[in-house]
Amino acid sequence: MHRLAFRVGLVLVLAAGAPACVSRSSGPQLIGVPAAVPLSELSDVTLQVGDQKGGTEALLRAANALDNLPYQIAFSTFTSGPPQIEALTAGKIDFAITGNTPPVFGAAANSKTRVVAAWDGAAPGEQILVRANSPITTIRDLAGKTILVAKGSAAHANVLEHLADNGLKPKDVKLVFLQPADALSAFANGQGDAWVIWEPYTAQAELTLKVRNLGNAENGYWFGSASTRALTDPKRNSALADLLIRYERAARWARENPSQWAAKYGKAVGLKPEIAALAQSRQVRRPIPLDDMVVSAEQRLADLFAAADQIPEAPDIAKWVDRRFNSVLAASGA
């Protein structure tokens, strides 16, 4: 809950009928970027957009960024990021914004998707929490301890990175996989030594439980992923470029009007105002280019998940990144 002149060149796109898993050496085929279509010619396009409660649609509407759309948008609500990647691969949606791990698992499964945009700023709200009176004071103290975390989530990535940075392996701790609502209840009732979580659950824990933060996420990225079907269709591709510009303007509005956005976000997800305000104060959605640093950070997550036996082999993440919109967004001033 919880970063048009098209670049001419080649982009990496998944081959149809690819196997369920992909090796590091294999990858998708190359196809050309379609020519830009004027916005005035997109009236017959309906862009299918995946969403989560209080996410993309809520932000766009709060910022009035859907006014005067030259195409249509149909939003579909999902519980989390992984089902959105699956829907993209199946061609049921054209675009979705997720955290940092769904694209990794998608690439490992040879998904028919591409990461096309990135935002930074989630790290402050992604934390490793322990109880205020816990004897645990460092990441190394987690050795032998029980950690509650949602499997395959940004929080899972967070704990794997911290363990690796401190010379620990996943087998050195006991990871108990629970979804956030279940983990909140368990942690509140004394279960688990630590809880790795993201917003708005972090804010909820801070304001309702006595907790301390052991460490923030190193990778605080969100990613916009598009289906290869949309990226190869001239009209959908052009609509996507416009939507990305609108989203980045909406994100800027939220940064400049934090109290207004927090109020609308809290109403959308049913949170108390103080929890919504704290959560959104740590989710700035700062647009960043899809550069080598971002790709490298994602590659590290892929390598860590593979080492932890969460995916069969780490894919070459660069092959699932499409930088065609970098120049479009830079030129827009969004």
Side-chain angles (χ1 to χ4, degrees):
M1 293 192 40
H2 258 6
R3 132 204 356 27
L4 296 178
F6 285 95
R7 180 181 176 188
V8 177
L10 296 177
V11 292
L12 298 169
V13 179
L14 287 171
C21 296
V22 63
S23 70
R24 187 67 166 261
S25 60
S26 67
Q29 295 178 340
L30 301 173
I31 65 170
V33 178
V37 177
L39 295 179
S40 60
E41 298 178 14
L42 301 182
S43 60
D44 61 340
V45 172
T46 297
L47 206 59
Q48 302 289 336
V49 177
D51 195 14
Q52 295 181 59
K53 192 175 181 181
T56 304
E57 182 180 10
L59 179 59
L60 288 167
R61 293 198 183 284
N64 298 316
L66 296 178
D67 294 349
N68 302 313
L69 273 178
Y71 47 88
Q72 303 297 314
I73 294 183
F75 291 95
S76 300
T77 303
F78 293 80
T79 57
S80 60
Q84 293 182 84
I85 299 296
E86 293 174 6
L88 286 167
T89 294
K92 295 180 179 178
I93 59 175
D94 301 310
F95 176 77
I97 294 175
T98 73
N100 56 23
T101 59
V104 169
F105 280 79
N110 219 357
S111 66
K112 296 180 180 180
T113 66
R114 281 294 175 276
V115 171
V116 296
W119 299 268
D120 197 7
E126 296 180 1
Q127 301 181 10
I128 300 175
L129 300 176
V130 296
R131 296 177 184 81
N133 60 357
S134 172
I136 299 171
T137 59
T138 69
I139 297 296
R140 289 181 180 275
D141 293 337
L142 291 173
K145 300 298 191 293
T146 298
I147 302 172
L148 310 181
V149 64
K151 187 175 184 178
S153 66
H156 196 173
N158 183 10
V159 71
L160 290 181
E161 286 203 301
H162 276 287
L163 291 175
D165 290 343
N166 286 272
L168 297 174
K169 297 182 182 300
K171 66 180 182 180
D172 295 326
V173 299
K174 182 180 180 181
L175 296 178
V176 174
F177 296 124
L178 291 175
Q179 288 302 304
D182 294 329
L184 172 60
S185 176
F187 197 67
N189 287 305
Q191 299 177 44
D193 299 297
W195 178 26
V196 193
I197 193 56
W198 60 86
E199 296 293 3
Y201 297 98
T202 311
Q204 188 172 3
E206 287 186 24
L207 296 177
T208 61
L209 306 175
K210 295 180 180 180
V211 295
R212 285 187 287 108
N213 176 24
L214 281 188
N216 298 97
E218 299 174 25
N219 179 328
Y221 299 139
W222 289 283
F223 292 104
S225 292
S227 70
T228 56
R229 184 191 71 158
L231 292 174
T232 55
D233 177 80
K235 287 189 174 183
R236 291 182 185 278
N237 188 61
S238 296
L240 275 173
D242 180 72
L243 177 61
L244 286 170
I245 291 170
R246 290 171 182 268
Y247 184 84
E248 294 205 0
R249 288 175 178 165
R252 181 172 61 191
W253 172 86
R255 293 192 299 272
E256 295 174 350
N257 300 274
S259 59
Q260 293 181 50
W261 165 233
K264 292 186 177 183
Y265 168 77
K267 185 176 181 180
V269 298
L271 285 175
K272 293 182 179 179
E274 61 271 22
I275 294 176
L278 179 57
Q280 289 306 306
S281 71
R282 297 186 296 212
Q283 293 188 310
V284 297
R285 296 175 182 82
R286 183 171 58 254
I288 56 173
L290 279 171
D291 57 20
D292 291 346
M293 182 176 70
V294 173
V295 174
S296 177
E298 283 297 286
Q299 187 63 58
R300 189 189 187 210
L301 297 191
D303 294 342
L304 287 171
F305 276 116
D309 295 325
Q310 297 300 310
I311 54 178
E313 184 177 348
D316 184 352
I317 294 298
K319 295 178 180 178
W320 273 264
V321 172
D322 184 331
R323 309 188 193 199
R324 70 174 70 182
F325 296 126
N326 274 359
S327 59
V328 174
L329 293 170
S332 74

